[in-house]
Amino acid sequence: MASVTLGVIGCGGMGSDLARNAQKLEHANVAVVSDLDEKRARTLAEQVKSTYYLDYGALLARDDIDAVLIASPPFMHRQMTEAAADAGKHVFCEKPMAPTVADCDAMTQAVTEAGVKFQIGHVCRYHGTHGKVRELVASGAYGTPTTMIVWRIGGGWGDSHPNWRYKLAESGGTLMEVNAHEIDFMRYVCGDVANVSAIGGTYVQTRHDYPDVTLVSLQFTSGAVGFLQSGNASAIGGYGGRVDCTEGSIDFPAFWGGGATIDTKRFDGEREEIAIGDLDFETPVKAEIRAFVDAILDDTDTAITAADGRAIVEVARAAYRSIEEGGAVISLG
Ligand SMILES: NC(=O)c1ccc[n+]([C@@H]2O[C@H](COP(=O)([O-])OP(=O)(O)OC[C@H]3O[C@@H](n4cnc5c(N)ncnc54)[C@H](O)[C@@H]3O)[C@@H](O)[C@H]2O)c1
């Protein structure tokens, strides 16, 4: 196989982004897209010059499709992954892997038994700031992490979003639908999480059936500690963080360009300032699909595995449980 033929399931915002980026790869081709909404399916099919089906089962029945990119609402990821694995297709699944750990386990079993590749769309690993912070920590130049703090807060979904985003059982709530990225980033930098506690509640976004403010404390198996501020109840919002390590600190007050810098300082006084706008990296969605396609062609492990996807869902679920139990410490694993 010199090239991978892809089918895209779900032609909303993210499915369209995945399809358009996949079509730019030299060793991949989007042959079919699928959505229950015909206008969406037809529009995307025209853009990427593919055919379309309303029934994703018809896409899976095609022998020429090697792999699927799943970009449906999170509560559908399990049934679609199981069906795709059953049909012998490799699976790239958008984050969060699924809203429950049980669903993640069923998906893992399905792809393992079918012997197909599985990658989860924790795309932040391919973003400039996230990648640079991880690289700086992994270099060892700052020692080992003691504390990682990340905040990502916003003002809510507004009224234009589909209903599934307001339901914990369908979206996984803010901690999965948004902060799957930040939890993955913290785990990518600091390693596995040993235990979780959280406080929070619903203050502004009463349309949600999940908290709109969540403060999550993490203890990593390394002994490092972490703190995530998550929420949809901030008019100003913000996205940034820092990692303090045994020999120095890395401060990233923002994640995107706009003049922002990553600032580092070692205890010996050495400083570095890295302009985020100058970071050189491939379009992140294109890079993550490239990694998936390469894993298929080279028959290697995928870059971001089912175990990675499950770990994030486990942390988020533990945080929600901790809130219900008044901030109890929940041990994982
Ligand atoms: N990586 C990122 O940065 C990022 C950004 C946005 C969304 N996402 C993820 O992508 C996924 C989709 O999010 P979105 O924003 O594109 O949602 P969306 O609501 O815009 O799109 C979902 C699409 O799935 C379609 N769909 C539903 N049931 C289907 C079925 N049975 N067969 C085929 N299509 C079906 C819907 O009609 C809709 O068009 C979610 O898991 C979300 O968390 C990831």
Side-chain angles (χ1 to χ4, degrees):
M1 194 194 300
S3 173
V4 174
T5 302
L6 299 164
V8 175
I9 304 176
C11 303
M14 197 61 218
S16 301
D17 203 11
L18 289 170
R20 287 192 290 258
N21 277 287
Q23 207 64 313
K24 291 179 191 156
L25 292 173
E26 57 285 353
H27 53 352
N29 164 48
V30 177
V32 200
V33 302
S34 167
D35 201 296
L36 294 175
D37 180 327
E38 181 160 13
K39 189 168 170 227
R40 285 187 172 189
R42 190 178 55 241
T43 302
L44 184 59
E46 283 168 7
Q47 286 173 5
V48 299
K49 299 186 174 40
S50 73
T51 54
Y52 72 88
Y53 299 118
L54 304 187
D55 172 12
Y56 76 89
L59 180 158
L60 295 178
R62 279 180 49 157
D63 288 338
D64 63 327
I65 300 299
D66 302 309
V68 292
L69 310 179
I70 297 176
S72 56
F75 71 102
M76 293 180 179
H77 292 177
R78 174 180 173 173
Q79 69 188 62
M80 291 174 171
T81 296
E82 288 176 335
D86 223 29
K89 313 299 184 196
H90 303 290
V91 177
F92 174 96
C93 179
E94 260 310 324
K95 48 56 58 179
M97 186 165 166
T100 70
V101 174
D103 282 352
C104 295
D105 287 340
M107 292 162 77
T108 305
Q109 189 177 344
V111 296
T112 304
E113 284 177 6
V116 294
K117 307 285 181 196
F118 181 85
Q119 184 170 316
I120 192 85
H122 289 306
V123 71
C124 279
R125 295 192 188 196
Y126 298 95
H127 276 276
T129 304
H130 302 75
K132 178 53 83 176
V133 169
R134 148 86 183 194
E135 181 190 310
L136 291 168
V137 172
S139 75
Y142 302 89
T144 53
T146 63
T147 318
M148 182 166 187
I149 295 178
V150 176
W151 56 89
R152 182 176 182 180
I153 48 177
W157 299 115
D159 290 329
S160 60
H161 279 264
N163 262 334
W164 60 264
R165 277 216 161 88
Y166 302 93
K167 297 179 187 148
L168 179 61
E170 298 190 4
S171 66
T174 311
L175 280 181
M176 286 180 250
E177 179 51 19
V178 177
N179 304 116
H181 291 306
E182 287 65 53
I183 298 170
D184 181 64
F185 174 47
M186 294 174 83
R187 188 174 167 270
Y188 189 43
V189 172
C190 293
D192 285 333
V193 177
N195 61 60
V196 176
S197 62
I199 52 174
T202 302
Y203 298 87
V204 176
Q205 308 292 346
T206 49
R207 193 171 162 191
H208 295 180
D209 67 1
Y210 50 82
D212 62 5
V213 171
T214 313
L215 306 180
V216 188
S217 296
L218 306 169
Q219 182 148 42
F220 299 93
T221 54
S222 67
V225 291
F227 182 76
L228 170 68
Q229 180 183 5
S230 151
N232 283 343
S234 168
I236 290 183
Y239 193 7
R242 57 187 298 143
V243 190
D244 291 314
C245 302
T246 50
E247 292 171 39
S249 298
I250 300 157
D251 187 34
F252 41 100
F255 275 95
W256 319 121
T261 56
I262 300 171
D263 298 319
T264 72
K265 183 182 177 191
R266 288 172 41 88
F267 282 116
D268 65 12
E270 191 179 313
R271 288 174 177 268
E272 191 182 3
E273 204 173 87
I274 302 162
I276 291 172
D278 290 346
L279 294 173
D280 185 23
F281 56 98
E282 184 174 31
T283 303
V285 171
K286 189 175 171 194
E288 66 177 345
I289 306 169
R290 179 189 296 286
F292 174 61
V293 167
D294 284 349
I296 295 169
L297 291 174
D298 301 341
D299 193 16
T300 56
D301 290 341
T302 54
I304 309 173
T305 64
D308 292 322
R310 181 193 190 278
I312 275 50
V313 173
E314 189 183 29
V315 167
R317 276 284 163 191
Y320 285 136
R321 194 180 128 203
S322 176
I323 291 174
E324 284 168 15
E325 295 180 8
V329 176
I330 312 290
S331 293
L332 306 186

